[in-house]
Amino acid sequence: MSRPVLKIGAAALRAAARPVEAVTAEVQALVDEMVAAMYAERGIGLAAPQIGVGLRVFVVDLSSGREAGALRVCINPEWGERDGMQLEEEGCLSLPGFSATVARPARAVVHALDREGARHTVDGTGLMARALQHEMDHLEGTLYVDRLRGLSRSMILNRIKKLDRDGKW
Ligand code: NI
């Protein structure tokens, strides 16, 4: 079973995800499917709503599968500390072909359960802090374009509208 990564416009991307009740074999299968989808698209992060599943689960691998041990699985993640600010280019598998400069915390800490249901903490700076904030946003139905100022947001959204009209989205 393999679900496609949803693109902006899909309602599932805009709903707040609900907590996982228990890390069952079914949830582990979901995690495995998400990791496979992320690697297939050469992404560095993916949240469950992006494949149409409204659960608080995301995966991050800054190496996109090239480095053993780089995968982080976060089930029912909760914020720890966040501090500082960074401005870097960012994209999303749900807005393929687009990127924009987004303000994010310079450091972010997330407490979550891993694939085995054990508690763990991801303490990230730079790209990892950015990825954590981006994926946490997905669990609230927020996309990075929502965090852009009016002009850069409408440029991206207008180009997507045109692609959609042309049947290319
Ligand atoms: Ni994304």
Side-chain angles (χ1 to χ4, degrees), residues 50 91-93 134-135 138:
Q50 291 182 277
C92 177
L93 294 178
H134 180 114
E135 301 310 330
H138 272 302

Side-chain angles (χ1 to χ4, degrees), residues 7 94 127:
K7 289 190 277 191
S94 294
L127 185 57

Side-chain angles (χ1 to χ4, degrees), residues 126-161:
L127 185 57
M128 179 57 90
R130 169 169 299 279
L132 292 173
Q133 179 72 61
H134 180 114
E135 301 310 330
M136 287 293 269
D137 276 357
H138 272 302
L139 302 184
E140 305 304 328
T142 298
L143 299 173
Y144 78 83
V145 281
D146 304 334
R147 294 187 176 273
L148 301 176
R149 276 171 310 188
L151 188 61
S152 41
R153 179 171 56 233
S154 53
M155 272 173 53
I156 291 179
L157 296 180
N158 287 338
R159 282 166 64 196
I160 290 172
K161 252 182 234 161

Side-chain angles (χ1 to χ4, degrees), residues 58-166:
F58 69 78
V59 294
V60 168
D61 182 343
L62 299 185
S63 82
S64 195
R66 290 189 302 272
E67 273 173 40
L71 176 66
R72 296 289 177 272
V73 173
C74 292
I75 299 170
N76 294 346
E78 283 167 23
W79 281 123
E81 296 156 53
R82 275 177 289 173
D83 45 64
M85 201 270 275
Q86 55 169 318
L87 274 173
E88 296 291 341
E89 196 84 352
E90 180 170 323
C92 177
L93 294 178
S94 294
L95 289 95
F98 293 92
S99 62
T101 301
V102 189
R104 296 293 193 186
R107 174 171 173 253
V109 178
V110 163
H111 305 288
L113 301 177
D114 67 14
R115 190 183 174 283
E116 313 310 318
R119 290 199 63 84
H120 71 120
T121 295
V122 186
D123 185 339
T125 58
L127 185 57
M128 179 57 90
R130 169 169 299 279
L132 292 173
Q133 179 72 61
H134 180 114
E135 301 310 330
M136 287 293 269
D137 276 357
H138 272 302
L139 302 184
E140 305 304 328
T142 298
L143 299 173
Y144 78 83
V145 281
D146 304 334
R147 294 187 176 273
L148 301 176
R149 276 171 310 188
L151 188 61
S152 41
R153 179 171 56 233
S154 53
M155 272 173 53
I156 291 179
L157 296 180
N158 287 338
R159 282 166 64 196
I160 290 172
K161 252 182 234 161
K162 186 175 185 311
L163 287 171
D164 199 24
R165 270 202 306 273
D166 297 344

